[in-house]
Amino acid sequence: MKLVKAVALAMTLATSISNPSFAEEAETRAATEFELSTAVATASRQWRDAFNAGDAAGAAAMYEEDAIMVAKPFGTFKGRSEIEAFWAQLVEGGFDDVIYFNTTTVVSQDLSTAQVSADWKMNSAHGTITKELWALQSDGTALLREDHFEVAQ
């Protein structure tokens, strides 16, 4: 019985792999996933560069206009202007040099968003990003739709 199931599985795989439309779909999906992942990595780097340069407006520009940010224990911030005010307060407080590590990126099935989680640290604090939801924009860039993070110190 196991042999029959194994042969059936092998035949199904061989048929689907040799099917040109399946191969084309897989190639297109891989290319689109790469474009989304690249857009997210680029935008994330732009956010960190802006924050580390003390540019709160530049960091806030990496969010969609109606984005939501949940910063534990500070609160919830809605919209780019509230988010910018939060980052401006941190910049004015001397916080900078943020880095991410243990980063994980998960691309959505429809290839329109990617969720990033990571640990982070900076000169005077550290914590965890539980969810950065980056959304692909019509121009091929990515912006933050949701940002959820916790400060441990």
Side-chain angles (χ1 to χ4, degrees):
M1 187 62 126
K2 287 184 181 181
L3 179 59
V4 172
K5 287 181 182 178
V7 169
L9 178 61
M11 289 175 62
T12 301
L13 288 173
T15 302
S16 62
I17 290 171
S18 64
N19 182 343
S21 63
F22 180 80
E24 290 170 5
E25 180 183 343
E27 186 174 322
T28 299
R29 183 170 177 79
T32 304
E33 184 175 337
F34 177 77
E35 290 170 10
L36 173 59
S37 297
T38 301
V40 168
T42 299
S44 180
R45 176 66 187 260
Q46 289 171 335
W47 182 91
R48 287 189 305 263
D49 287 349
F51 178 79
N52 289 339
D55 181 4
M62 301 311 301
Y63 291 80
E64 290 182 328
E65 192 61 44
D66 59 348
I68 184 166
M69 183 175 77
V70 179
K72 292 182 181 179
F74 304 106
T76 300
F77 304 87
K78 297 178 182 176
R80 195 179 281 159
S81 62
E82 285 186 18
I83 292 169
E84 181 177 344
F86 175 84
W87 292 126
Q89 185 177 10
L90 259 63
V91 166
E92 290 170 10
F95 292 90
D96 62 9
D97 297 330
V98 67
I99 61 169
Y100 291 4
F101 55 99
N102 299 326
T103 304
T104 302
T105 302
V106 178
V107 174
S108 65
Q109 185 174 357
D110 70 358
L111 300 173
S112 66
T113 60
Q115 184 172 313
V116 174
S117 59
D119 294 316
W120 61 268
K121 65 180 180 176
M122 62 174 69
N123 63 333
S124 299
H126 69 276
T128 302
I129 297 166
T130 54
K131 178 182 180 183
E132 283 184 349
L133 183 64
W134 292 90
L136 192 61
Q137 307 298 301
S138 60
D139 64 359
T141 63
L143 292 177
L144 276 162
R145 181 168 288 163
E146 294 180 36
D147 187 5
H148 302 257
F149 65 93
E150 300 175 11
V151 177
Q153 176 187 13

